[in-house]
Amino acid sequence: MTSATDPHPPTEPASADWPPPAPPTAPPEQAPRWSLPALLAILVLAAVLYAWNLSGSGMNTFYSGAIWAGTQSWKAWFFGSLDPGNFLTVDKPPFALMVMGLSCRVLGFGTWQMMVPQIGAALATIWILHSSVKRVSGHVAATVAALVLALTPITVAINRDNNPDTLLVFLMVAGAALALRATRDERLLPLLGAAACFGLAFNTKLLAGWIALPAVFALYVYASKAPWARRIVNLALAAVVLAVSSFWWAIAVSLVPADDRPYIGGSTDGSAWDLIMGYDGLGRVFGGEGNGGGGGGGGGFSGSAGLGRMFNDILGGQISWLLPFSAIALVGGLVLCGRAPRTDLKRMALVLWGGWTVLHYVIFATAQGTMHPYYTTALAPGIAALCGGGGVMLLDAFRRDRRWAWVLPVAFGVTGLWAIVLLRRASGWNGWLWPVVGALTAAGIVGMLVLRSGNRGRLLTVSVAAAAVAALAGPTAYAASEPFGSTGGGMGGTNPTAGPSTGSGFGGPGGGTRGGFPGGGEMPGDMGQNRQNGQAGGFPGGGELPGGGEPGGGQAMPGGGNGELPQQGNGTASGQTPGGTAPGATGEAGQRGGMGGGPGGMGGADSELIAYLKKHRDGAKWLLAVSNSQSSAQIELSAREPVISMWGFTGSDNAMTVAKLKELVKKGELHYVQIGGGMGGPGGGNSVSTAVSNWVKKHGTVVKESAYSKSSTSSSTAGTSGTDSSSLYRLDPSDAG
């Protein structure tokens, strides 16, 4: 084994058809003619994957509702409130919602308007990674890295959704690229820019935005050419920028009196600091009960915690295709750097992107709190950079040193075998693909070994390309299944995944399932409901969250909906109305189950009940109060009126108390409350919610279903039909006396 800096390494003459590579720390100064067209082609490919048939993908109701609220109220926009009345916020800082909200304020509220900045950020991430890898390892490595990132299945899935992870990854990659430039060029401004990017990433998804920071710190401390005193000063300045850009929102929230701000969702006391340290902070890693566990706990959305989690039936097809290759490339690249100077550019890049990958892998694999599959999109940039930069280093060593001639073929062989395992897990899905992958891998490896020596550079190039195509075939097929529907249509916005269903999380098949929760399982609090294996839907009764509650969503509605959007007044399903306004803005959506329809969960936003609530609203600020955020967002998006989520996303926030409810009723700001099952859905399992429910039942007046529904005895409302089982109550100021 030798290093790239060995003064007398054993070498073999390079092929005339394949000119020798540039020195390890000096990539070619002049870009080859194919480089820019290749990058543009990758960006176009990515844009198609992220945007094609986007109106058929379900957005996340939770975030869609908050984005709509932000278009109606600047206060809701700043706090990230779920409704324009500002009762409760989402369970994260609102930076991603702010970006999408501004887009919708300018362009109008709708799927495309919401997703324009998301897709732009995703494409910018590819461009930044390409630029960063190119400056260190050259154009071939940069092209490979960009292509791998663009084709990562879970990245394609999340980039077609309005979850905050797309913007999170963009900010972290920008920060890492700036840190590498700051270390290489000994400039302070890029280092401060990197700190600002990671701070904004924190305001996108809290501590998840800081996972790669130790790798950035290690890079600068180890590889900077600046004297120690200057390094310490620069890092101190960067720490100040990081603190300011990370905590400005939490500080601003804390300066607003609790009575003048919404309850911070996901917290136990209504404060941003509790959210940071608990539910969306250490609770995600160490788990816990209720809010402390990050909502749900146990990580069951992605299978059991452990170092092998990334390769299990749920996550394997989403992120693990090139993990073996990237690991071999990282180790091999570090060995090849050997005795290179501390400031060697290639080792800098390996330290940065290798540290990025290892940190994310370990934290995601061992997290005891909630762990959704789409979190793993943050692994993709590190894997892509290692495949590009480290892969080119292995190729150079393969050609030049016979002692390294086995490493690259082994890397391709392991990758090909793992791809076959993943493809065979998807029984009945593109069964022809795994034999093709196996044949291409074998042909490529044999060609590499046979053609390595001699003047046969072009044939060797073909062999390497064949092995690379085989490595990318599986993830490409999974990625393409989203926009082109080969796995059965749109995905659930709450838990987007790519490809076919191959594993099980809570409640049923996971991996590629399209329910609101992995495996189409129930929301926390409804676990254990009877359910058929493979049944679609995030709520009992077989329905999915309705397109995320978002226009253009193509999900099946609870209560037996057919997967179409709510119908307009003319009885035809529609995606978006002209001008970018989402359907249902006037509350004239057609029937799809109905509020309270479907056992144990919400049955969709029933137009009859919405019309009744609007008619009898009597000047109230809020149309209705329900148990949890998913339900409130769905109703809000259909009615285009403020709806209260009393107990947050998991139903465990202490946002609504008896005292607060009595105050709202006394002021005439709220008249209708839905408790227990039905539209209220999961939640309401703690002492606070129990007290509220008991008070409502004691002082409120039951609203009979026959008052608003012409089909109150239909099978679609089983479990809540009949005048005695309705959980809708009317409250007037006199009831709170």
Side-chain angles (χ1 to χ4, degrees):
M1 189 100 20
T2 185
S3 77
T5 56
D6 193 323
H8 301 290
T11 61
E12 299 179 38
S15 164
D17 294 322
W18 197 336
T25 58
E29 295 182 1
Q30 185 174 2
R33 286 182 296 180
W34 57 263
S35 181
L36 180 58
L39 174 59
L40 294 177
I42 292 170
L43 291 174
V44 169
L45 171 64
V48 171
L49 290 172
Y50 304 157
W52 188 268
N53 194 29
L54 189 60
S55 60
S57 292
M59 299 294 107
N60 189 317
T61 317
F62 185 55
Y63 297 122
S64 295
I67 292 166
W68 174 77
T71 65
Q72 307 299 304
S73 162
W74 283 111
K75 183 177 180 180
W77 177 84
F78 176 79
F79 284 104
S81 298
L82 275 166
D83 73 272
N86 292 286
F87 182 82
L88 176 79
T89 73
V90 298
D91 56 2
K92 293 173 182 62
F95 187 68
L97 303 180
M98 288 178 171
V99 173
M100 288 184 277
L102 286 177
S103 176
C104 289
R105 274 187 174 266
V106 173
L107 302 175
F109 180 74
T111 299
W112 276 99
Q113 297 90 324
M114 192 185 306
M115 290 302 296
V116 163
Q118 292 282 88
I119 295 172
L123 297 179
T125 304
I126 295 173
W127 182 84
I128 292 170
L129 186 70
H130 180 279
S131 178
S132 181
V133 174
K134 178 183 67 178
R135 287 188 172 94
V136 174
S137 301
H139 295 270
V140 173
T143 302
V144 171
L147 186 61
V148 169
L149 179 58
L151 294 176
T152 300
I154 194 61
T155 297
V156 173
I158 197 63
N159 289 345
R160 294 172 58 82
D161 189 74
N162 61 348
N163 274 273
D165 295 70
T166 295
L167 188 63
L168 172 75
V169 172
F170 162 73
L171 291 168
M172 291 195 299
V173 169
L178 285 170
L180 185 59
R181 177 179 290 189
T183 308
R184 181 194 66 196
D185 299 340
E186 286 305 314
R187 295 172 57 194
L188 176 61
L189 190 58
L191 185 65
L192 300 182
C197 285
F198 279 105
L200 291 177
F202 182 89
N203 273 300
T204 302
K205 209 173 177 184
L206 295 178
L207 292 179
W210 280 7
I211 292 177
L213 270 180
V216 172
F217 179 80
L219 168 72
Y220 191 79
V221 169
Y222 171 73
S224 175
K225 292 177 284 190
W228 274 106
R230 183 178 170 189
R231 266 183 269 183
I232 292 172
V233 170
N234 288 349
L235 285 173
L237 292 173
V240 172
V241 173
L242 177 67
V244 172
S245 58
S246 296
F247 299 120
W248 63 269
W249 181 79
I251 292 172
V253 169
S254 300
L255 293 176
V256 178
D259 291 340
D260 296 329
R261 68 172 190 252
Y263 188 97
I264 304 302
S267 68
T268 58
D269 60 4
S271 74
W273 300 111
D274 182 79
L275 174 67
I276 291 171
M277 297 306 297
Y279 175 87
D280 254 341
L282 300 179
R284 295 281 177 172
V285 179
F286 300 111
E289 295 298 327
N291 288 9
F301 294 110
S302 298
S304 301
L307 290 179
R309 176 186 267 177
M310 297 301 118
F311 298 94
N312 68 20
D313 288 350
I314 303 172
L315 298 183
Q318 306 303 315
I319 191 63
S320 74
W321 301 88
L322 294 171
L323 266 173
F325 190 98
S326 64
I328 295 172
L330 172 61
V331 174
L334 289 173
V335 174
L336 284 168
C337 286
R339 296 188 296 274
R342 176 175 56 86
T343 55
D344 178 71
L345 280 178
K346 291 194 174 181
R347 186 158 54 198
M348 282 188 197
L350 291 171
V351 168
L352 174 64
W353 299 115
W356 172 301
T357 304
V358 170
L359 287 166
H360 280 93
Y361 184 100
V362 171
I363 289 176
F364 290 159
T366 60
Q368 298 293 324
T370 297
M371 174 66 199
H372 284 286
Y374 63 81
Y375 295 175
T376 61
T377 187
L379 265 169
I383 294 172
L386 292 175
C387 287
V392 167
M393 292 179 72
L394 293 184
L395 177 60
D396 181 46
F398 168 81
R399 293 177 54 239
R400 290 180 163 272
D401 187 345
R402 63 171 55 93
R403 290 178 293 180
W404 282 82
W406 59 274
V407 179
L408 186 61
V410 166
F412 277 126
V414 172
T415 302
L417 288 174
W418 180 239
I420 292 173
V421 171
L422 291 174
L423 290 169
R424 285 178 63 83
R425 284 179 179 175
S427 177
W429 183 78
N430 290 336
W432 57 271
L433 187 55
W434 71 263
V436 172
V437 169
L440 276 176
T441 302
I445 292 173
V446 170
M448 290 168 63
L449 295 174
V450 171
L451 301 170
R452 176 180 171 274
S453 59
N455 190 19
R456 292 174 285 188
R458 287 192 177 91
L459 293 175
L460 183 57
T461 301
V462 171
S463 299
V464 174
V469 168
L472 289 172
T476 301
Y478 264 62
S481 71
E482 288 311 314
F484 302 112
S486 63
T487 54
M491 60 189 172
T494 304
N495 192 49
T497 51
S501 174
T502 57
S504 60
F506 290 135
T513 51
R514 300 294 182 262
F517 288 80
E522 290 74 27
M523 293 180 73
D526 272 3
M527 308 287 182
Q529 295 282 344
N530 292 332
R531 173 180 172 75
Q532 297 292 329
N533 185 33
Q535 179 181 345
F539 288 84
E544 294 185 16
L545 300 178
E550 162 58 21
Q555 314 297 57
M557 300 288 254
N562 61 7
E564 299 295 328
L565 286 169
Q567 293 178 350
Q568 303 302 309
N570 60 5
T572 59
S574 172
Q576 278 177 224
T577 56
T581 304
T586 63
E588 296 302 321
Q591 295 181 41
R592 284 286 184 270
M595 290 175 169
M602 194 198 86
D606 189 316
S607 60
E608 292 179 326
L609 182 49
I610 287 177
Y612 176 88
L613 293 171
K614 286 184 175 182
K615 182 178 179 180
H616 299 86
R617 186 173 179 179
D618 296 333
K621 182 177 182 179
W622 283 279
L623 185 68
L624 183 68
V626 297
S627 294
N628 65 81
S629 299
Q630 285 289 86
S631 299
S632 67
Q634 291 173 40
I635 303 158
E636 184 174 276
L637 288 168
S638 293
R640 292 300 188 271
E641 297 290 350
V643 176
I644 286 178
S645 167
M646 293 189 285
W647 299 301
F649 187 78
T650 64
S652 55
D653 293 351
N654 296 322
M656 181 65 83
T657 62
V658 171
K660 186 174 292 186
L661 178 59
K662 290 173 68 175
E663 180 183 359
L664 295 177
V665 172
K666 274 185 178 181
K667 292 180 178 178
E669 294 181 341
L670 177 67
H671 289 307
Y672 292 96
V673 178
Q674 182 100 18
I675 60 174
M679 180 177 52
N686 56 30
S687 59
V688 174
S689 59
T690 299
V692 169
S693 298
N694 290 338
W695 187 86
V696 170
K697 292 176 182 178
K698 181 178 180 180
H699 296 277
T701 301
V702 174
V703 179
K704 297 180 179 181
E705 248 182 283
S706 58
Y708 57 82
S709 175
K710 298 177 182 178
S711 56
S712 61
T713 59
S714 67
S715 59
S716 64
T717 56
T720 57
S721 61
T723 57
D724 295 331
S725 60
S726 174
S727 56
L728 180 65
Y729 290 82
R730 165 88 186 201
L731 292 160
D732 290 298
S734 59
D735 296 321

